[in-house]
Amino acid sequence: MKNASLLCLALLCLAAPLQANDKPVQLKLESAQKIWDKDPHNAFTGLTRFKDKWYCVFRTGKAHVSPDGALQVLESKDGKDWKPVARITSETADLRDAKISVTPEGQLMLSGAGALHQPAPCRHQSMSWFSDDGKHWSKAHIIGDPNLWLWGNKWHDGDVYSIGYHTGKEGPRFTRLYKSSDGKNFETVVDKLIDKGYSNESSLVFTKDNTCYCLLRRDGKGATGLLGVSKPPYTKWEWKDLGIKIGGPELFQLPDGRFLATVRLYSPKVRTSICQLDVEKGTLTELLALPSGGDTSYANMVLHDGLLNVSYYSSHEGKTSIYFAKVSYK
């Protein structure tokens, strides 16, 4: 009887496994440090580790939107002392929304979009650059289609995926899913991912079973964020309305399977917060507001040495500056 009872218990556990997504994440802010404020406006961050060093990238310029926008690269061995190692500029565009990742071949890939000085054939053109050391960067590679802003990139199974959003003045707004094997030549996976409302910024996560989740921002009156889910080859998507307005989305999965999202929240005041995302219910729960306010958001998260490391920008201390936070979790 004892063995039979143990067998029944085991079968029950198999039939109803514990869902990691159901467990609330507990976060604690360990530190938050300003790492750059040397330019009039510093914003829109990307973060990665490469060859045992931190690399943080972001846009600098005279204002939130200004023709002199450049992409600044910082390097740090310990996450405390940061130094500038490269600065990418353009004579024909305001360079914006820097994102950085490591390719399967072991290079750094930096991506961003150029708001082209007018008159020009189009308003925006996405670009990518590559480096072996974070200091010396390749020429710009034109990626995606004109007026399709590729916002971020995520590598999975040898390919990099990116969602571009339409920025042209004519025609309906929409988002398009791309992929590339080298980060230089992108092909369309889904031509019109979302074509209702103004969908734009996004973040992707691929799970161990190759499921892809997408956290997507929408703007406009009453617009709220969306959560998308798809299986390979990622041509068919299901969407859930999160019921809350978000900006600058960054989606992240912890090793135990739970999902976090760092986003800009708007009510009762603007802030950058780390939230827990229940992908089954399609709900977003705020866990920790980072020191932030005003012009803020556009975070990236990297797990290292058991801590969440978060880059973001904020103007809560008066001037838009770049911050690096360490957050413990359980």
Side-chain angles (χ1 to χ4, degrees):
M1 290 294 294
K2 183 177 181 180
N3 289 339
S5 298
L6 290 173
L7 179 60
C8 289
L9 181 60
L11 290 173
L12 285 172
C13 289
L14 287 173
L18 179 64
Q19 297 295 318
N21 289 335
D22 293 338
K23 296 167 54 180
V25 181
Q26 298 180 49
L27 300 180
K28 180 183 178 183
L29 181 64
E30 301 293 340
S31 64
Q33 172 192 359
K34 183 190 293 185
I35 62 173
W36 187 268
D37 66 353
K38 290 180 170 51
D39 294 275
H41 194 277
N42 313 275
F44 321 128
T45 76
L47 181 71
T48 196
R49 280 190 65 80
F50 179 69
K51 296 182 179 180
D52 297 322
K53 294 179 182 178
W54 289 106
Y55 288 90
C56 182
V57 297
F58 49 92
R59 177 196 179 269
T60 67
K62 293 180 179 178
H64 190 107
V65 176
S66 55
D68 64 325
L71 304 185
Q72 178 69 55
V73 183
L74 301 185
E75 178 188 273
S76 175
K77 293 182 178 180
D78 56 9
K80 297 179 180 179
D81 297 315
W82 296 79
K83 63 179 181 180
V85 292
R87 192 178 182 96
I88 297 175
T89 61
S90 171
E91 294 181 356
T92 60
D94 167 13
L95 299 181
R96 307 183 63 80
D97 287 8
K99 298 295 181 185
I100 193 166
S101 61
V102 180
T103 73
E105 289 74 26
Q107 281 189 307
L108 284 172
M109 174 183 170
L110 173 63
S111 64
L116 303 182
H117 301 161
Q118 298 299 308
C122 61
R123 297 181 66 201
H124 298 96
Q125 179 62 62
S126 297
M127 310 175 194
S128 64
W129 300 261
F130 296 84
S131 175
D132 294 318
D133 59 7
K135 300 177 178 65
H136 305 92
W137 291 85
S138 71
K139 66 176 184 179
H141 297 271
I142 302 302
I143 58 175
D145 299 296
N147 291 331
L148 265 294
W149 192 316
L150 275 66
W151 204 83
N153 52 76
K154 188 60 62 78
W155 290 91
H156 174 68
D157 199 23
D159 292 318
V160 62
Y161 291 80
S162 183
I163 293 178
Y165 67 92
H166 183 255
T167 64
K169 289 185 176 181
E170 297 180 358
R173 301 278 191 168
F174 62 89
T175 44
R176 176 174 295 167
L177 177 62
Y178 292 93
K179 80 170 182 178
S180 170
S181 61
D182 58 7
K184 303 171 187 176
N185 301 287
F186 281 76
E187 63 183 65
T188 297
V189 179
V190 182
D191 183 51
K192 300 287 179 65
L193 192 65
I194 296 287
D195 58 2
K196 295 181 180 179
Y198 181 22
S199 57
N200 45 81
E201 300 162 358
S202 61
S203 180
L204 300 173
V205 161
F206 292 88
T207 60
K208 292 180 180 179
D209 68 354
N210 297 315
T211 301
C212 182
Y213 291 94
C214 172
L215 185 60
L216 184 66
R217 172 182 177 175
R218 291 186 300 174
D219 285 328
K221 185 177 181 180
T224 52
L226 294 178
L227 172 66
V229 59
S230 182
K231 298 283 188 179
Y234 312 116
T235 55
K236 295 182 180 180
W237 288 77
E238 295 180 0
W239 296 92
K240 296 177 181 179
D241 193 328
L242 298 175
I244 186 172
K245 183 179 180 181
I246 61 171
E250 162 72 348
L251 185 59
F252 187 85
Q253 187 179 33
L254 294 171
D256 62 14
R258 293 178 292 179
F259 288 84
L260 297 175
T262 303
V263 296
R264 178 196 292 130
L265 295 177
Y266 295 84
S267 180
K269 64 178 183 178
V270 175
R271 63 207 180 276
T272 295
S273 285
I274 305 177
C275 305
Q276 185 166 358
L277 176 65
D278 189 319
V279 296
E280 299 299 328
K281 298 178 182 178
T283 57
L284 201 63
T285 304
E286 185 176 13
L287 300 177
L288 175 67
L290 296 171
S292 59
D295 188 1
T296 183
S297 186
Y298 291 62
N300 259 196
M301 292 187 282
V302 175
L303 186 63
H304 179 66
D305 285 343
L307 291 175
L308 282 167
N309 299 266
V310 188
S311 66
Y312 66 103
Y313 85 96
S314 178
S315 63
H316 67 287
E317 293 183 302
K319 179 183 182 181
T320 49
S321 305
I322 308 301
Y323 293 84
F324 182 73
K326 291 182 176 290
V327 178
S328 58
Y329 73 93
K330 61 180 181 178

